Amino acid sequence: MNSIESIESKIARIQAGEVYIFADIIDTYQNRIYKYCLRLLSNREEAEDAVQDIMLKVFEKVRYYQPKGSFTSWLYKIAYNHCLNLLRRRKLQQQVSRLFGREVAAESAERAAEDTMFSEPLASALEMLTVEERNLLILRIFEDKSFEEIGEILGKNMEAVKKKYGRIRHKLKAFMELSEKEEGECTKASTLQKNKN
């Protein structure tokens, strides 16, 4: 099941009517897609729901899959678009809540625990990137995708992806340095305040 040929042949069998084989696709990809969604959405419940929705979409659309690129890239493209829509909806809900004077709920303990997947400067820096920029980094670093695969997922050519990745790394580094500097200044100010008391 690890080779591309076996996945592609299973997809062909599913397209030919052997839908029960889709359980193998779920077994192979469910955990990987969950981790990907969790990194993009930063919310365990949303990521769990997203995986179910994504697998359902894949099942419904698998008959349209054409093996021009890899099945994995096609799957990640569906996952990315689904998560992007969720993030847009979340942002809209937050804006509506603010408009009506409701405070956005404080971060849960679960969210704080998930943030420990990254160092504090890295987590802060990632939050400063756009969703598209974070997605590219997640695909390259955490999902270990090649630039060619990322190009397939994002619908861009490989050279454009490489250039954008280089720019994002510089941007991320600058954000991390800024975050570390601000954290250092806050620690220094806190120490001075304690010494005064």
Side-chain angles (χ1 to χ4, degrees):
M1 187 61 198
N2 289 336
S3 74
I4 291 172
E5 293 77 25
S6 66
I7 290 168
E8 297 296 337
S9 67
K10 287 190 181 210
I11 297 301
R13 287 174 61 194
I14 292 166
Q15 289 174 327
E18 296 180 58
V19 293
Y20 63 90
I21 296 172
F22 195 76
D24 292 346
I25 303 301
I26 292 172
D27 289 343
T28 302
Y29 289 103
Q30 188 170 13
N31 195 41
R32 287 163 63 181
I33 295 298
Y34 168 73
K35 288 178 183 174
Y36 172 69
C37 292
L38 181 59
R39 289 183 177 120
L40 269 178
L41 300 171
S42 300
N43 182 296
R44 188 165 306 223
E45 285 180 18
E46 283 185 6
E48 288 169 358
D49 290 344
V51 171
Q52 291 178 11
D53 293 342
I54 290 161
M55 288 303 178
L56 183 60
K57 280 182 186 177
V58 170
F59 181 73
E60 290 169 349
K61 293 181 177 191
V62 75
R63 65 180 169 225
Y64 303 115
Y65 167 71
Q66 299 290 321
K68 294 173 189 167
S70 75
F71 174 77
T72 305
S73 297
W74 183 77
L75 173 63
Y76 273 86
K77 187 173 195 167
I78 290 172
Y80 171 64
N81 287 327
H82 183 80
C83 289
L84 190 59
N85 287 336
L86 289 176
L87 289 166
R88 286 178 181 145
R89 198 173 310 140
R90 183 195 298 167
K91 188 175 181 180
L92 182 63
Q93 287 170 342
Q94 288 172 346
Q95 289 170 342
V96 169
S97 293
R98 284 191 204 109
L99 184 66
F100 290 102
R102 292 191 198 122
E103 289 286 321
V104 177
E107 279 192 5
S108 65
E110 183 180 309
R111 170 70 193 264
E114 286 165 1
D115 284 345
T116 61
M117 288 181 0
F118 308 110
S119 68
E120 184 54 42
L122 178 57
S124 298
L126 284 170
E127 286 298 315
M128 298 172 92
L129 297 175
T130 67
V131 176
E132 289 82 5
E133 291 169 337
R134 271 198 323 261
N135 180 52
L136 201 155
L137 283 177
I138 289 167
L139 288 170
R140 181 70 180 154
I141 296 167
F142 297 105
E143 300 297 322
D144 200 29
K145 299 289 180 202
S146 69
F147 288 116
E148 186 176 353
E149 287 176 299
I150 295 170
E152 284 179 33
I153 293 166
L154 301 180
K156 298 180 189 276
N157 75 44
M158 189 174 74
E159 288 305 313
V161 170
K162 277 186 184 178
K163 286 178 185 174
K164 188 166 187 172
Y165 178 72
R167 287 193 303 269
I168 294 169
R169 282 186 51 193
H170 276 20
K171 191 175 179 181
L172 186 66
K173 184 179 177 189
F175 284 155
M176 283 181 68
E177 288 169 357
L178 179 66
S179 180
E180 286 172 346
K181 184 179 175 187
E182 287 173 354
E183 192 176 296
E185 288 172 3
C186 286
T187 304
K188 192 175 174 182
S190 178
T191 305
L192 287 172
Q193 187 64 32
K194 283 180 186 176
N195 291 340
K196 283 181 182 179
N197 296 335

